[in-house]
Amino acid sequence: MHAWPASEVPALPGKGRDLRIHDTATGGRITLDPGPVARIYVCGITPYDATHMGHAATYNAFDLVQRVWLDTKRQVHYVQNVTDVDDPLLERAVRDGEDWTALAERETALFREDMTALRMLPPKHYIGAVEAIPGIVPLVERLRDAGAAYELEGDVYFSVEADPHFGEVSGLDAEAMRLLSAERGGDPERVGKKNPLDPMLWMAAREGEPSWDGGSLGAGRPGWHIECVAIALDHLGMGFDVQGGGSDLAFPHHEMGASHAQALTGEHPFARAYVHAGMVGLDGEKMSKSRGNLVFVSTLRREGVDPAAIRLALLSHHYRSDWEWTDQVLADAVARLGRWRAAVSRPDGPSADALVEEVREALADDLDAATALAAVDRWAECQRSEGGTDEGAPGLVSRTVDALLGVAL
Ligand code: 5CA
Ligand code: ZN
């Protein structure tokens, strides 16, 4: 699949700091030490509805990871998937009497537009589940042949016992895993499984549903976790720097993915850091396509909201906290954008050299965007109340805000 166009990232004077980030697996902050090419995999959308503020907040967090790395003069090898065949997508297509491929294509196209408008840097490889199927089948066959997977009524399940590190990503106990597995696409109640938590790797063809040639597995379609594993191994290999997604992916998705990959390769870890963004809610509930309590990026854009203001609204919350989208959050962001634009529109101003370092330090410190915004606020206020004589300052502030926060002033 093609991704979306990249907005330019201005180069800043000096060099950024190495990223210290919270890793779900160790439960603490680690300093990432990627080589000259940092590798990141971020789970993409399931395209059955438009991009909502929760999605946007999660992609914003990982966009900041990229921007911090780029500022350290590294290259970034960023991979993202599109779950363009899965139960919720097929169910929505049936509900609306629409062809599932048309639905997936339309929503993926809208996602690209939203990401472009929000100045999210595109992945180098943007891969759909359907196009990954030829690579998935041999992986499932290998797991089965190694005894790490087994067949049940034509479906193929992964055996969580095959990975000695199973459980280390989420750190949850068996009961918590069981509850979440039932909630998030698993089938712990299915009779005949070796372990109730075992996830499906390959689903045998169902009547009325799309299916693909699965070689010795028979016709069918891939399970969810193996999709991301196949794409990540193909484009990044084991031991890449960050696997990212919202906190609802820590279990089962990232736990199972790590175990699939570790069982396949005998190597550990799959990712060096598992990074999870908090959940954005609306009216006291997690914003989700299945609940329908959604504020869409595209709706706000259509209403004439500046995407830079949407981006500032996302940035005003710490990426790991759960927060609520409200009209006030957006109104505050619109006001802030106005203040910043007024401040950089003057020909000179107070020196911004210290500001560049403050923004760098805040983001390197577990992506503390709110602190970065506060630093820019202080410069803008100083510009408003006192002004200054540094002719390069407004331009430097614009470039800093663009390069590190993805906000075009
Ligand atoms: N296709 C899979 C990942 S392989 C998937 O989870 N798709 S999704 O469309 O449901 O979600 C896309 C991303 O947005 C995931 O990282 C998910 O954790 C995140 N996300 C979904 N809802 C929210 C929310 N309310 N707040 C924050 N992030 C969210
Ligand atoms: Zn994924």
Side-chain angles (χ1 to χ4, degrees), residues 41-44 81 83 224-225 227-229 243-244 249 253-254:
Y41 185 95
V42 179
C43 282
N81 69 306
T83 307
W224 173 28
H225 320 304
E227 162 195 342
C228 287
V229 172
Q243 175 159 36
L249 297 190
H253 187 50
H254 291 169

Side-chain angles (χ1 to χ4, degrees), residues 41-50 52-59 62 81-84 86 88 111 224-225 227-228 243-250 253-254 276-282 285-289 291 293-294 319 321-323:
Y41 185 95
V42 179
C43 282
I45 54 162
T46 306
Y48 67 92
D49 213 337
H52 59 61
M53 301 320 302
H55 300 132
T58 289
Y59 295 110
F62 297 101
N81 69 306
V82 186
T83 307
D84 58 359
D86 201 7
F111 178 73
W224 173 28
H225 320 304
E227 162 195 342
C228 287
Q243 175 159 36
S247 57
D248 57 343
L249 297 190
H253 187 50
H254 291 169
H276 293 109
M279 288 292 113
V280 180
L282 185 72
E285 290 222 68
K286 171 191 158 187
M287 211 181 267
S288 77
K289 288 179 275 209
R291 284 198 184 90
N293 57 335
L294 306 170
Y319 81 97
S321 56
D322 296 334
W323 56 278

Side-chain angles (χ1 to χ4, degrees), residues 148-221:
Y150 58 93
E151 202 181 299
L152 181 61
E153 295 155 339
D155 300 326
V156 182
Y157 279 90
F158 176 73
S159 181
V160 294
E161 266 95 47
D163 173 31
H165 295 283
F166 175 72
E168 291 180 7
V169 173
S170 64
L172 297 171
D173 62 37
E175 187 48 30
M177 287 186 187
R178 207 185 158 102
L179 289 171
L180 286 177
S181 158
E183 246 176 60
R184 298 177 180 165
D187 55 2
E189 306 303 330
R190 182 163 177 184
V191 178
K193 288 169 65 173
K194 289 187 182 165
N195 182 317
L197 298 174
D198 291 345
M200 210 183 268
L201 289 166
W202 187 256
M203 182 194 270
R206 306 286 202 262
E207 184 71 35
E209 287 189 359
S211 62
W212 288 264
D213 177 13
S216 69
L217 308 171
R221 62 180 162 98

Side-chain angles (χ1 to χ4, degrees), residues 39-375:
R39 294 174 294 163
I40 178 167
Y41 185 95
V42 179
C43 282
I45 54 162
T46 306
Y48 67 92
D49 213 337
T51 323
H52 59 61
M53 301 320 302
H55 300 132
T58 289
Y59 295 110
N60 176 56
F62 297 101
D63 190 67
L64 296 181
V65 171
Q66 279 212 75
R67 288 172 184 278
V68 170
W69 278 337
L70 291 172
D71 187 40
T72 61
K73 315 298 177 208
R74 291 183 169 91
Q75 286 179 46
V76 181
H77 198 141
Y78 173 24
V79 179
Q80 190 180 128
N81 69 306
V82 186
T83 307
D84 58 359
V85 61
D86 201 7
D87 293 342
L89 174 78
L90 298 174
E91 283 160 17
R92 177 64 61 94
V94 168
R95 188 197 79 177
D96 296 349
E98 189 178 11
D99 175 54
W100 64 274
T101 56
L103 173 61
E105 271 169 34
R106 191 181 66 241
E107 297 302 347
T108 304
L110 185 58
F111 178 73
R112 288 189 189 99
E113 280 176 30
D114 289 336
M115 292 295 105
T116 308
L118 293 173
R119 289 174 94 73
M120 306 280 182
L121 297 170
K124 199 177 230 95
H125 299 283
Y126 192 45
I127 312 286
V130 171
E131 60 183 326
I133 289 175
I136 293 173
V137 170
L139 296 189
V140 177
E141 289 175 327
R142 259 168 60 194
L143 285 168
R144 183 200 54 197
D145 296 347
Y150 58 93
E151 202 181 299
L152 181 61
E153 295 155 339
D155 300 326
V156 182
Y157 279 90
F158 176 73
S159 181
V160 294
E161 266 95 47
D163 173 31
H165 295 283
F166 175 72
E168 291 180 7
V169 173
S170 64
L172 297 171
D173 62 37
E175 187 48 30
M177 287 186 187
R178 207 185 158 102
L179 289 171
L180 286 177
S181 158
E183 246 176 60
R184 298 177 180 165
D187 55 2
E189 306 303 330
R190 182 163 177 184
V191 178
K193 288 169 65 173
K194 289 187 182 165
N195 182 317
L197 298 174
D198 291 345
M200 210 183 268
L201 289 166
W202 187 256
M203 182 194 270
R206 306 286 202 262
E207 184 71 35
E209 287 189 359
S211 62
W212 288 264
D213 177 13
S216 69
L217 308 171
R221 62 180 162 98
W224 173 28
H225 320 304
I226 193 69
E227 162 195 342
C228 287
V229 172
I231 296 169
L233 289 181
D234 192 16
H235 294 281
L236 298 174
M238 285 297 278
F240 58 91
D241 296 290
V242 167
Q243 175 159 36
S247 57
D248 57 343
L249 297 190
F251 191 89
H253 187 50
H254 291 169
E255 187 77 75
M256 296 301 179
S259 281
H260 290 355
Q262 286 153 191
L264 269 165
T265 61
E267 291 171 36
H268 175 270
F270 179 46
R272 293 203 241 173
Y274 297 90
V275 179
H276 293 109
M279 288 292 113
V280 180
L282 185 72
D283 305 329
E285 290 222 68
K286 171 191 158 187
M287 211 181 267
S288 77
K289 288 179 275 209
S290 48
R291 284 198 184 90
N293 57 335
L294 306 170
V295 175
F296 295 122
V297 174
S298 45
T299 310
L300 294 181
R301 289 200 290 121
R302 246 192 334 268
E303 287 168 357
V305 177
D306 190 324
I310 303 176
R311 183 95 195 216
L312 277 180
L314 305 173
L315 288 162
S316 66
H317 300 84
H318 194 276
Y319 81 97
R320 277 200 290 129
S321 56
D322 296 334
W323 56 278
E324 287 268 311
W325 179 264
T326 61
D327 292 344
Q328 191 61 45
V329 167
L330 182 59
D332 290 347
V334 169
R336 174 177 264 143
L337 184 63
R339 290 195 304 272
W340 288 12
R341 283 193 172 146
V344 299
S345 69
R346 297 210 218 152
D348 50 19
S351 166
D353 297 347
L355 172 65
V356 178
E357 299 311 318
E358 281 170 342
V359 173
R360 278 181 163 146
E361 176 50 32
L363 292 180
D365 182 18
D366 200 25
L367 307 176
D368 187 355
T371 295
L373 298 197

